[in-house]
Amino acid sequence: MFDGAQRFIKGTSSSRLVTMMPSGPPPRVYWTSLIFLLLACCLLPTGAQGQTYQVRVEPKDPVVPFGEPLVVNCTLDCPGPGLISLETALSKEPHSRGLGWAAFRLTNVTGDMEILCSGICNKSQVVGFSNITVFGE
């Protein structure tokens, strides 16, 4: 395993510095730790005076007919909310927007998937999730 160490190797004529390089991807523990740190510092922030803010995703866990559109509303519950966005692999377009909320129209919903609403509260990112279930075909 690569530990970032550098070692001096003595040769016959001179010493040289050799940097050890990893032979493969970092171990699973590395990725798990990295994901935990990202969640702890970036996705689960607290607001002013220790208050935790949330993003509501509506409808929550909708069930929709195959190929039909769906309007999703993302609402921030903090004072002075910042940018609100929706992350999805589906085609989307802005539907409507107001202070602390934004709605998006998803088109051609053809498979089950998770969507993520995110927004900025007090200079920190907050997120909310919803799972779309599709029926029929």
Side-chain angles (χ1 to χ4, degrees):
M1 180 168 55
F2 176 64
D3 60 359
Q6 295 183 336
R7 300 180 186 193
F8 282 98
I9 298 177
K10 294 195 178 223
T12 54
S13 59
S14 66
S15 295
R16 58 190 167 142
L17 181 63
V18 174
T19 302
M20 298 176 65
M21 299 300 292
S23 60
R28 182 176 296 214
V29 172
Y30 171 84
W31 289 114
T32 302
S33 298
L34 178 62
I35 290 169
F36 174 77
L37 287 172
L38 287 172
L39 286 171
C41 77
C42 303
L43 298 179
L44 302 173
T46 56
Q49 296 90 31
Q51 186 176 4
T52 301
Y53 297 117
Q54 296 180 347
V55 176
R56 284 192 323 274
V57 183
E58 296 171 352
K60 183 68 176 162
D61 300 331
V63 178
V64 298
F66 181 88
E68 293 294 313
L70 173 68
V71 175
V72 176
N73 187 324
C74 303
T75 304
L76 293 175
D77 69 352
C78 66
L83 178 67
I84 300 171
S85 63
L86 174 71
E87 299 299 325
T88 179
L90 296 168
S91 296
K92 67 179 179 186
E93 57 190 39
H95 183 270
S96 51
R97 182 175 296 272
L99 182 60
W101 65 274
F104 303 88
R105 184 174 190 268
L106 307 178
T107 56
N108 197 23
V109 180
T110 58
D112 297 354
M113 93 169 17
E114 183 177 67
I115 57 175
L116 179 143
C117 287
S118 69
I120 304 296
C121 287
N122 292 339
K123 300 180 185 175
S124 295
Q125 182 181 24
V126 291
V127 297
F129 299 90
S130 184
N131 291 300
I132 298 172
T133 302
V134 174
F135 70 90
E137 183 171 0

